[in-house]
Amino acid sequence: MPSDTPSLRSLRSASIIGTGSYAPDRVMTNADLEKLVETSDEWIQARTGIRERRIAGPEQPTSELAARAAQAAIENAGISPEEIDLIICATCTPDMFFPSTACLVQTKIGAVNAACFDISAACSGFLFGVETARQYIASSTCQTVLVIGADKLSGIVDWTDRNTCVLFGDGAGAAILRHREGSRGILSSRMGSNGKLAEILYIPGGGSAHPANSPTFTENPATMRMNGRETYKHAVTAMVNASQQALADAGVSADDIACFIPHQANLRIIEAIADRLQVSMDRFMVNLDFYGNTSAAAVAIALDEAARSGRFKQGDKILMVVFGGGLTWASTVVEW
Ligand code: ACO
């Protein structure tokens, strides 16, 4: 689904005016995983680039991680929580079916004037949320939107399955969006989905198809199933295509981008994207070595760390690109 640039130019622009992130203190290294499943630090690093990941405690549901990231973004943006009129939380690990995680975050951060809802687009959720926020700002329905990507994947991973448990971690990232005079903000946005491939990356049980209280629940438990090779293939193709389309929509080339911020799933996937876009890896933000794949949080945490470490400055153009279960994918070009 393209957001075509000429129409974006005629609308009220939306800028990212602050970012924040949070990861739990507990570090789980590859050596720790060697004690759980038949794997090795060498295999995990060579195949994925991941060295360690953060794991949230039982007292830290997704809303807690999300609220910490949101507070950091609010502080970074220099606004008060009362100014936020919409909270969008992207997550595939909500605290519960309802209320939404966004509603639970609202109370934790005191954003009493906000409407709240969640977005379900797996690992792509943060950019789906950013584009949704842009639309609310463009239409002047909202002034100040908080978008969060937060996931506690440690709760839905099968810790006996070495194909998946080595890949994931917990965390949250957040951004505040608002119209900023004199800034073009979000230049273009591309989103796409392919529900035909739902079963290469999914959680079979726990929802209405196989409820947790049904007799079939044990055959369809609420843990992640993934066809790694298929996921890998589609992730590279979808993220390269989405990036190229978002660049074209924004009327810029890859050379104009100061920093590429991709979904942090696997270093080899990022290297393949860099290769196909003919961009050197030093212009790609990579932090998956320390966090693993944190799903909807991954690109949001990477954005926050890249912004805070001065990887780009005001006026620079950045490109974010994501991919996840659904299948879903998205890419966004932003003038910072
Ligand atoms: N440790 C040791 N060996 C392992 C492990 C492990 N943790 N996991 C798998 N293996 C073995 C396999 O059993 C297989 O053994 P075999 O040859 O005897 O059958 C061998 O390693 C190779 O397995 P492959 O699946 O071919 O390994 P591959 O190079 O494809 O790497 C990986 C696997 C890392 C999962 C890769 O396919 C990948 O990254 N896929 C994309 C995953 C992804 O991005 N998922 C999330 C995206 S969306 C979202 O974020 C929710």
Side-chain angles (χ1 to χ4, degrees):
M1 188 182 76
S3 285
D4 142 72
T5 305
S7 67
L8 279 193
R9 279 195 190 134
S10 64
L11 293 169
R12 197 160 161 260
S13 67
S15 295
I16 296 175
I17 64 159
T19 60
S21 61
Y22 175 76
D25 292 336
R26 186 181 157 210
V27 175
M28 182 184 272
T29 63
N30 292 347
D32 295 329
L33 282 163
E34 287 174 4
K35 293 172 201 145
L36 293 180
V37 289
E38 200 183 322
T39 190
S40 66
D41 174 47
E42 191 193 0
W43 191 96
I44 299 170
Q45 283 209 46
R47 301 287 178 129
T48 70
I50 300 166
R51 293 165 183 267
E52 58 189 44
R53 67 286 294 141
R54 304 295 186 89
I55 303 294
E59 75 298 349
Q60 287 184 305
T62 298
S63 66
E64 190 59 32
L65 313 181
R68 299 271 200 123
Q71 277 157 342
I74 289 166
E75 200 182 311
N76 185 240
I79 63 162
S80 71
E82 293 83 2
E83 291 174 67
I84 297 167
D85 44 18
L86 179 63
I87 300 176
I88 301 171
C89 184
T91 185
C92 61
T93 51
D95 288 23
M96 51 195 88
F97 278 136
F98 68 88
S100 68
T101 304
C103 279
L104 302 174
V105 171
Q106 176 192 31
T107 303
K108 290 179 198 263
I109 65 172
V112 291
N113 298 313
C116 306
F117 61 84
D118 286 0
I119 280 187
S120 172
C123 303
S124 306
F126 181 72
L127 288 192
F128 276 56
V130 166
E131 173 57 12
T132 306
R134 186 193 67 73
Q135 306 257 358
Y136 275 94
I137 292 168
S139 64
S140 296
T141 309
C142 294
Q143 308 302 319
T144 307
V145 185
L146 165 62
V147 181
I148 307 166
D151 268 309
K152 184 178 177 178
L153 290 169
S154 61
I156 56 155
V157 157
D158 177 353
W159 288 101
T160 64
D161 176 15
R162 70 177 182 174
N163 291 298
T164 51
C165 76
V166 303
L167 303 175
F168 299 101
D170 302 335
I176 306 283
L177 279 85
R178 185 183 259 186
H179 173 68
R180 185 166 59 200
E181 222 35 70
S183 167
R184 291 168 66 205
I186 294 169
L187 301 180
S188 66
S189 215
R190 280 272 179 164
M191 294 154 60
S193 305
N194 183 357
K196 279 188 191 158
L197 296 174
E199 291 198 1
I200 68 171
L201 185 58
Y202 73 121
I203 298 176
S208 59
H210 301 287
N213 59 2
S214 81
T216 58
F217 183 70
T218 45
E219 293 126 58
N220 299 285
T223 50
M224 191 189 303
R225 297 284 176 271
M226 184 182 75
N227 179 331
R229 278 186 203 173
E230 280 299 300
T231 306
Y232 188 104
K233 204 173 66 189
H234 289 289
V236 173
T237 309
M239 284 197 275
V240 168
N241 289 343
S243 299
Q244 286 170 335
Q245 288 162 346
L247 288 169
D249 289 347
V252 298
S253 78
D255 291 342
D256 299 315
I257 301 296
C259 186
F260 291 80
I261 306 176
H263 179 44
Q264 305 286 314
N266 184 319
L267 184 59
R268 289 190 295 144
I269 291 177
I270 297 176
E271 285 170 345
I273 296 169
D275 185 53
R276 298 215 194 155
L277 294 179
Q278 297 185 304
V279 173
S280 64
M281 274 299 284
D282 59 356
R283 283 200 286 145
F284 272 74
M285 175 67 192
V286 176
N287 64 3
L288 60 81
D289 32 348
F290 297 112
Y291 299 114
N293 179 350
T294 55
S295 189
V299 80
I301 297 174
L303 171 68
D304 181 48
E305 292 196 346
R308 285 174 193 263
S309 63
R311 292 283 300 251
F312 47 84
K313 55 184 189 316
Q314 203 164 340
D316 280 348
K317 293 178 186 67
I318 63 168
L319 180 146
M320 294 181 274
V321 61
V322 291
F323 177 84
L327 299 178
T328 53
W329 56 87
S331 181
T332 302
V333 177
V334 181
E335 185 179 281
W336 198 249

